[in-house]
């Protein structure tokens, strides 16, 4: 009788072990599963192996911390610009706003978080950024931080910019910044998964986003 009981116990333990193994395999496959993107149909650059980015800490236009954790849980479109920008920034932000509306009209969920990070923290206050990003869409978000943090982020992501000093007869604060206009895409794990270079077209961005979210 005792041997029979022990045999039943071993059978139960074996079943639990088998179920745990199958569950582990399922979870592993699920966690590794991502959108299957056809590069020929994708207008941007899709990274087959998403990569994490180094830790950063900024302050958002809601006065809250914006960091790596803030990127998790949803898709994020991140653009580096500044509020005094004459062409690249307003053009890019306008296309992102059109993209957002196209996705909303199609009922695409989840909609992306759209974030503009300032490359000009000396002049871009949180209030100024808040007004700027909301002028394009009420759902958009801005973030700023110390220049050394921003420099590390842009260098890691290949964002190029340079400060252009004004003529001697002009105010030193009237400098301009020449910069690239790439939009970086982060997946819900907070990893860099794609990027879009200029020129940006809302229709193409919307199509690519729909492919990413499946």
């Amino acid at each position: 009788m005792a041997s029979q009981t022990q045999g039943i116990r071993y059978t139960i333990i074996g079943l639990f072990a088998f179920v745990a193994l199958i569950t582990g395999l399922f979870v592993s496959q699920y966690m590794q599963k991502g959108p299957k993107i056809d590069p020929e149909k994708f207008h941007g650059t899709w990274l087959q192996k998403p990569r994490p980015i180094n830790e950063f800490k900024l302050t958002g236009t809601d006065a809250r911390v914006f960091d790596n954790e803030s990127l998790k849980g949803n898709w994020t479109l991140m653009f580096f610009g500044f509020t005094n920008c004459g062409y690249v920034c307003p053009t890019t932000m306008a296309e992102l706003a059109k993209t957002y509306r196209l996705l909303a009209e199609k009922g695409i969920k989840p909609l992306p978080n759209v974030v503009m990070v300032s490359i000009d923290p000396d002049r871009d206050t949180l209030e100024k950024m808040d007004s700027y990003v909301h002028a394009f869409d009420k759902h958009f978000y801005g973030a700023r931080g110390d220049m050394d943090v921003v420099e590390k982020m842009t260098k890691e992501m290949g964002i190029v910019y340079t400060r252009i000093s004004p003529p001697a007869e002009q105010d030193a604060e009237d400098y301009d910044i020449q910069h690239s206009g790439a939009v970086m895409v982060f997946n819900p794990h907070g990893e860099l998964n794609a990027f879009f270079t200029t020129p940006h077209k809302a229709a193409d961005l919307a199509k690519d986003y729909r492919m990413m979210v499946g």
Side-chain angles (χ1 to χ4, degrees):
M1 186 69 176
S3 60
Q4 184 179 3
T5 302
Q6 189 174 19
I8 293 174
R9 184 181 301 147
Y10 285 148
T11 300
I12 293 175
I13 292 174
L15 286 173
F16 273 117
F18 178 73
V19 171
L21 175 62
I22 295 300
T23 302
L25 290 172
F26 174 80
V27 171
S28 177
Q29 290 177 357
Y30 176 81
M31 291 299 291
Q32 293 177 5
K33 184 179 180 181
K36 295 181 179 179
I37 301 296
D38 184 348
E40 294 184 1
K41 296 180 180 179
F42 197 76
H43 299 88
T45 299
W46 177 254
L47 304 180
Q48 295 292 347
K49 293 184 178 181
R51 62 182 180 87
I53 61 170
N54 293 322
E55 291 187 4
F56 68 89
K57 186 176 182 181
L58 305 172
T59 302
T61 46
D62 56 2
R64 297 180 180 180
V65 171
F66 182 79
D67 57 12
N68 301 75
E69 289 299 314
S70 306
L71 297 175
K72 296 180 179 179
N74 197 27
W75 289 88
T76 301
L77 306 181
M78 182 182 292
F79 172 68
F80 290 85
F82 65 114
T83 61
N84 286 344
C85 183
Y87 178 75
V88 175
C89 298
T91 302
T92 301
M93 293 296 286
E95 289 302 311
L96 289 174
K98 291 178 184 177
T99 302
Y100 194 92
R101 288 194 292 272
L102 286 173
L103 294 171
E105 290 169 0
K106 293 289 185 180
I108 303 301
K109 293 182 180 180
L111 290 170
N113 292 330
V114 180
V115 181
M116 174 176 157
V117 176
S118 175
I119 56 174
D120 188 19
D122 290 339
R123 295 184 297 187
D124 285 344
T125 63
L126 290 179
E127 293 76 15
K128 192 173 182 181
M129 289 199 70
D130 187 63
S131 177
Y132 186 83
V133 297
H134 285 163
F136 295 96
D137 191 282
K138 65 180 181 180
H139 300 98
F140 286 7
Y141 189 77
R144 67 178 299 282
D146 294 336
M147 200 64 233
D148 61 334
V149 176
V150 176
E151 287 178 350
K152 289 178 181 178
M153 292 180 70
T154 53
K155 184 177 181 180
E156 182 179 9
M157 296 182 218
I159 303 295
V160 180
Y161 66 95
T162 184
R163 181 165 163 169
I164 308 298
S165 299
E169 64 274 12
Q170 293 185 14
D171 191 319
E173 290 298 310
D174 290 336
Y175 59 84
D176 190 17
I177 300 177
Q178 299 294 323
H179 65 103
S180 54
V183 173
M184 317 307 289
V185 183
F186 294 88
N187 63 31
H189 297 292
E191 303 165 323
L192 184 62
N193 216 150
F195 61 89
F196 302 104
T197 54
T198 56
H200 300 299
K201 296 181 180 180
D204 292 341
L205 291 172
K207 289 179 181 177
D208 283 358
Y209 184 79
R210 292 175 66 179
M211 281 193 276
M212 289 189 291
V213 300

